[in-house]
Structure formats: C-alpha cells, structure tokens
Amino acid sequence: MRTAPLALILGAVACLVALVASRRRGRWRGVLAAPDVPTMLDRAAFDRAGVGASAKPWLVAVLTDSTCGTCSSTLERLEPLAGPTVEIVEVDATRHRGLHDSYGVDAVPFTLVADTDGAVQAWILGPPTAGDIASVQRVLDD
C-alpha cells in the first residue's frame, strides 16, 4: 500500500519532465510544436512593407513592439548571425501591424528564420539564449 503514493508521485514527475523536454525539442527545424507558429513567411509581403531583402537566402525576422523591454536586447543578441547570406530585420508592431496580424503574433519578441522560399526553419519565442543562437547558426550553416 505504501508504494502506490510513491508510484503516483514518480509518474507525475515523469510527465512533467516529458512535457518540458517536448517543449524544448519543438523549438527547432521541422518540429514546430506550437500550432500557431507559421510554417511559411510571405517574403514578398516583407519586401512590400520595406523590411527584408529577397536577394539574401535567409531572413531572420524579429517581431517586436515599442513597449517591449527585451526586444532591443534580442536584436543585439541576434546581430552576429547577419552576413552576406543572412538578413536580420526588425518588424515593429507599431509600424508593421499588418505583418504581426497576418502571423497571429500575440507575444514578442518572436523570431522567425525563413529560407529563400519562405519556409520557416526555426523560431524563438522570447529573448534568445546562447543555445538558441547556436541552434539557429546550425540551421543557417546547413
């Protein structure tokens, strides 16, 4: 009889660990865990809005808001990814409300990494960690 409560507690802990692990795995490449994360970006819409150059193979779009306290540090942390094949753009909600609305963004900073075809290859919700940036770099290097 004493093992039943212990088994229940261990089962609950195992479920919690599995939930946390699945959320972390779902952040990268091909495993977009959240159903509201877009799988495609309309790069032409970004061009029309004046954010993003279609000439570069990779677009790192950082969706921000002027009231966001961590958005500027997010841009600073991602800046080392910029290069001849990678463009990093800020998509501020005040200036580009239509882009935010079209992707259903309700939390910022939200970073989307899209290839030439507009397919989202990685995403980060919140300020990026060093591990997040390293993972994005691996995607960009593939």
Side-chain angles (χ1 to χ4, degrees):
M1 285 302 212
R2 288 184 168 178
T3 60
L6 180 61
L8 184 61
I9 291 170
L10 288 175
V13 169
C15 288
L16 181 61
V17 168
L19 177 65
V20 169
S22 71
R23 288 185 182 258
R24 288 186 179 265
R25 272 196 317 268
R27 293 178 74 142
W28 301 112
R29 194 175 217 175
V31 188
L32 299 172
D36 56 344
V37 174
T39 58
M40 293 294 293
L41 287 184
D42 180 359
R43 290 187 65 161
F46 277 73
D47 287 342
R48 286 190 301 274
V51 290
S54 59
K56 293 191 178 185
W58 290 100
L59 177 64
V60 178
V62 184
L63 289 87
T64 65
D65 193 309
S66 58
T67 62
C68 171
T70 59
C71 289
S72 63
S73 67
T74 295
L75 288 164
E76 290 170 10
R77 291 178 187 173
L78 293 171
E79 192 59 37
L81 298 173
T85 61
V86 179
E87 180 168 13
I88 299 175
V89 297
E90 179 180 12
V91 184
D92 184 88
T94 305
R95 293 186 307 261
H96 305 289
R97 175 57 60 192
L99 286 174
H100 275 248
D101 291 346
S102 67
Y103 294 106
V105 175
D106 58 1
V108 292
F110 186 50
T111 304
L112 297 167
V113 180
D115 63 18
T116 302
D117 298 324
V120 174
Q121 298 295 323
W123 59 274
I124 305 166
L125 179 59
T129 65
D132 293 336
I133 294 168
S135 294
V136 168
Q137 186 64 62
R138 283 192 296 276
V139 168
L140 298 173
D141 290 342
D142 281 349

